Amino acid sequence: MGKASSSTATKISSFVLMIIFVTLALSLTVLIVALNAFFAEQEVFAGYLLLIGFLGVAFSTYLLFQTRRRILSLRIEVPQITTTIECRKCGFKSVREFQRGDYIFKEVEPCQKCNEKMLITAIYREVREKERVRFPF
Amino acid sequence: MFELMMLLGIVLLQIDLSQIISLLYILFFVLFIFYGQRIQLQVTLREVESSLYKLKYIKDEGRRIAIETIKEIGKPQTEPTNRVDRFLEYFTISPQSLDPAGVVWKLEHILDVRDARFKDEVKLMAPAADETQANNLENTLEAAMALNYIYKVIRHYYLLGKKTLSLYVIMQLQMILPLVMREAEAYASALKAFAYGQPIGDGAGAMVAAKLMHGHQTRKLPKDCVVATVPIEGRTAYVIKAEGPGGNVGKIGDAIKTVIDENEGKIATIIMVDAALKLEGEEIGEVAEGVGTAIGGPGVDQFKIEESILKYRIPINAVIMKEDIGDAVSPMRKEIFDAVDNAIERIKHVILERTKEGDKVIIAGAGNTIGIGQ
């Protein structure tokens, strides 16, 4: 529980990865050539190369992040489910992770304090809300 | 390499930059005049395609979870994959309504046949599953079936749009996709909940009834429902819910009719409790009160309850707990669980305001009772 499931669909295609890394390598080479051109006092040409190099680096990095985002969006998050167990006699309460077979009002193990049978009183998931956008209405 | 780049640079420097920009501007202009719509179509198709990939992934996950759960719980003698694949393709044809008189009974019959067929299939797939597990498995398979159907419909319109290159087909699809994806994601989270037998948001009504009837003697009612006689504020309340903890919605309509007939119509009021879809901007777990038959489903139970109350002119009240579609089929959120106590307080208020001491009332908690005992 609490993990994300994965399958072949969540793997990045090696072909796409290869293209991204080749573009990144070429862009870095162009940046190095631009530096050489700058030292050879070919400022205008170096400017063009710098532009191309930076565009290449930006493009490949963007693609890499997009691929990662697509994979993250494909995962089905399994939420954490909490089971609350209560002793009806002494009021002792314990909270644990949900286990298969749990259901509300199921009698479970005896109470640690009074040895009376405990009862599952709640099963729920807690959602941590992202920073909520406040609307004026 | 460096020499080659330098040569390219010298050639580039020979051409005036403004000439290149002008040429590019004209090219873009011509391109967008003749191919603008085509480009827009391709962009939209790409967007639909990426959602379709996600739908396919969710659908495959649904199938995988269903098969794994059947193998784990049902201990089948043979490989259940083929049977599951066949099950995912099942369909139900709704009855003809050209002459609407009596259509509810026809619909009920079709739904009964469907239910019986599903139960038989699950029994064959998972012979070792007990009743609760079989009900949960049935719900898991139904969620997988819904995902399979959503994927197929979206794929149909995507391919149709691609084949006909119709911007209007593709754009309509793109417009409804965010809502479809929300529903598909909700079913995806429901799969695990059903497979593990966890209470879901839709069970809020059943949870209210379970809390009210816990500790009191229950008896079975037709079909798949239980009732307990509970004294509340000096009145006698017949608390009804579907029998848990397996995934089950029961036939609340039949159960209410039975209790009304048993009491010869001498019921002061009926209070229906259910989870309801909230509007955007409303809080999750907000409790609201009104009149009418608060129950979902295809409408058969609502019809039966309305018929029964009309016969004896019994007033009907409703208490709802608000949640969105995602929360309705995924494991119950804490906010919804906490709302159950507020709903009980509201029910007590209704009883105090609308009935006299010694009266008999019916409190019916509608919804799927998966993971909720009594």
Side-chain angles (χ1 to χ4, degrees):
Chain A
M1 303 293 285
K3 287 175 211 148
S5 52
S6 64
S7 80
T8 47
T10 55
K11 282 177 190 148
I12 309 172
S13 146
S14 50
F15 181 69
V16 175
L17 265 186
M18 195 185 75
I19 288 177
I20 292 170
F21 282 115
V22 166
T23 317
L24 193 67
L26 278 175
S27 311
L28 290 173
T29 316
V30 169
L31 285 178
I32 294 163
V33 174
L35 271 180
N36 281 338
F38 186 75
F39 289 123
E41 294 182 355
Q42 294 273 341
E43 281 91 355
V44 182
F45 177 54
Y48 276 127
L49 288 182
L50 268 179
L51 186 72
I52 294 166
F54 277 123
L55 278 176
V57 170
F59 181 66
S60 44
T61 322
Y62 171 76
L63 273 185
L64 203 65
F65 276 106
Q66 279 298 307
T67 319
R68 199 174 162 268
R69 226 184 74 180
R70 189 181 71 85
I71 283 152
L72 283 179
S73 75
L74 269 180
R75 295 193 174 178
I76 303 169
E77 286 293 327
V78 180
Q80 193 86 30
I81 311 292
T82 311
T83 299
T84 307
I85 306 165
E86 256 181 270
C87 176
R88 282 287 155 117
K89 197 178 170 193
C90 68
F92 175 73
K93 218 178 201 181
S94 91
V95 176
R96 62 160 164 80
E97 210 176 300
F98 176 88
Q99 287 166 7
R100 185 173 250 167
D102 282 359
Y103 64 85
I104 295 173
F105 298 131
K106 181 187 181 185
E107 283 191 344
V108 283
E109 65 268 7
C111 174
Q112 294 168 15
K113 285 186 176 171
C114 63
N115 220 25
E116 188 82 5
K117 277 221 166 183
M118 302 226 289
L119 204 69
I120 294 179
T121 52
I123 298 171
Y124 55 78
R125 74 182 157 115
E126 272 186 275
V127 181
R128 275 190 209 98
E129 292 271 8
K130 287 174 199 160
E131 194 65 37
R132 236 199 272 176
V133 185
R134 286 256 166 228
F135 293 109
F137 25 81
Chain B
M1 179 81 171
F2 182 65
E3 284 78 20
L4 191 76
M5 289 283 207
M6 292 293 270
L7 193 71
L8 186 74
I10 291 159
V11 173
L12 276 173
L13 288 173
Q14 301 295 312
I15 309 166
D16 189 5
L17 192 67
S18 64
Q19 279 178 324
I20 300 172
I21 292 170
S22 304
L23 189 71
L24 278 177
Y25 180 77
I26 293 164
L27 271 176
F28 272 117
F29 193 68
V30 171
L31 190 80
F32 277 101
I33 279 181
F34 290 105
Y35 293 100
Q37 200 182 9
R38 190 60 77 85
I39 292 167
Q40 194 187 351
L41 191 79
Q42 289 304 326
V43 171
T44 318
L45 269 172
R46 283 283 302 168
E47 270 177 42
V48 175
E49 200 178 279
S50 69
S51 296
L52 200 58
Y53 267 120
K54 190 168 183 183
L55 278 177
K56 186 176 186 308
Y57 170 71
I58 294 175
K59 175 208 76 148
D60 290 341
E61 277 292 293
R63 179 179 170 272
R64 188 186 62 79
I65 290 170
I67 293 169
E68 269 179 17
T69 315
I70 287 168
K71 282 182 182 169
E72 203 178 318
I73 294 170
K75 311 268 184 297
Q77 304 292 317
T78 53
E79 175 64 34
T81 311
N82 285 341
R83 201 172 266 278
V84 169
D85 285 339
R86 230 173 47 208
F87 187 90
L88 294 182
E89 297 296 326
Y90 269 3
F91 56 86
T92 308
I93 300 168
S94 51
Q96 181 52 257
S97 57
L98 273 176
D99 177 12
V103 75
V104 176
W105 311 114
K106 286 197 266 177
L107 178 63
E108 188 190 20
H109 175 65
I110 298 279
L111 292 174
D112 285 348
V113 173
R114 176 184 184 264
D115 196 41
R117 184 88 189 258
F118 277 15
K119 279 192 168 33
D120 288 348
E121 279 290 332
V122 170
K123 222 165 238 169
L124 285 170
M125 275 188 236
D130 59 31
E131 202 191 330
T132 304
Q133 288 169 334
N135 281 340
N136 294 349
L137 267 179
E138 198 186 322
N139 282 192
T140 311
L141 282 162
E142 276 186 73
M145 211 165 134
L147 285 171
N148 188 47
Y149 184 69
I150 292 173
Y151 167 70
K152 282 186 151 193
V153 171
I154 299 298
R155 184 184 64 178
H156 165 75
Y157 284 108
Y158 165 76
L159 290 175
L160 195 72
K162 213 173 174 180
K163 238 182 223 175
T164 56
L165 281 180
S166 162
L167 184 68
Y168 303 101
V169 172
I170 295 293
M171 278 186 74
Q172 281 185 65
L173 189 57
Q174 189 211 19
M175 283 173 203
I176 59 153
L177 256 182
L179 300 175
V180 174
M181 292 308 288
R182 261 182 88 175
E183 203 164 318
E185 278 159 18
Y187 276 119
S189 51
L191 274 165
K192 284 271 174 183
F194 288 139
Y196 285 96
Q198 295 160 346
I200 56 168
D202 182 50
M207 185 67 222
V208 169
K211 268 202 167 180
L212 285 171
M213 67 167 59
H214 182 67
H216 294 88
Q217 189 70 37
T218 59
R219 66 185 161 97
K220 291 192 182 197
L221 280 181
K223 190 196 164 204
D224 299 333
C225 288
V226 284
V227 64
T229 311
V230 183
I232 298 176
E233 309 287 353
R235 284 79 168 163
T236 306
Y238 296 97
V239 186
I240 300 170
K241 76 180 268 288
E243 192 179 6
N248 176 25
V249 288
K251 282 192 174 184
I252 299 281
D254 286 343
I256 289 178
K257 188 180 179 298
T258 309
V259 175
I260 292 174
D261 290 343
E262 279 173 1
N263 288 281
E264 290 157 347
K266 288 181 187 106
I267 298 289
T269 190
I270 296 175
I271 304 167
M272 299 286 303
V273 200
D274 198 6
L277 283 188
K278 75 177 186 75
L279 298 171
E280 285 300 323
E282 288 183 316
E283 291 291 324
I284 296 165
E286 208 177 287
V287 178
E289 190 191 314
V291 291
T293 317
I295 192 164
V300 175
D301 283 296
Q302 188 176 355
F303 179 85
K304 282 183 182 173
I305 296 166
E306 284 164 358
E307 284 278 293
S308 308
I309 59 169
L310 189 67
K311 190 176 167 190
Y312 298 103
R313 300 273 164 190
I314 302 168
I316 190 161
N317 296 282
V319 173
I320 55 162
M321 283 158 279
K322 295 181 183 179
E323 54 192 62
D324 67 30
I325 175 79
D327 298 325
V329 288
S330 52
M332 194 181 278
R333 278 177 71 151
K334 192 173 187 302
E335 294 89 335
I336 300 167
F337 189 82
D338 293 340
V340 167
D341 289 331
N342 295 340
I344 291 174
E345 282 310 306
R346 280 291 185 98
I347 290 169
K348 286 181 180 168
H349 271 132
V350 175
I351 291 174
L352 285 172
E353 286 168 8
R354 304 263 154 231
T355 61
K356 299 189 296 290
E357 235 172 275
D359 277 349
K360 288 172 181 173
V361 296
I362 293 176
I363 301 169
N368 194 324
T369 188
I370 188 164
I372 305 168
Q374 49 269 329

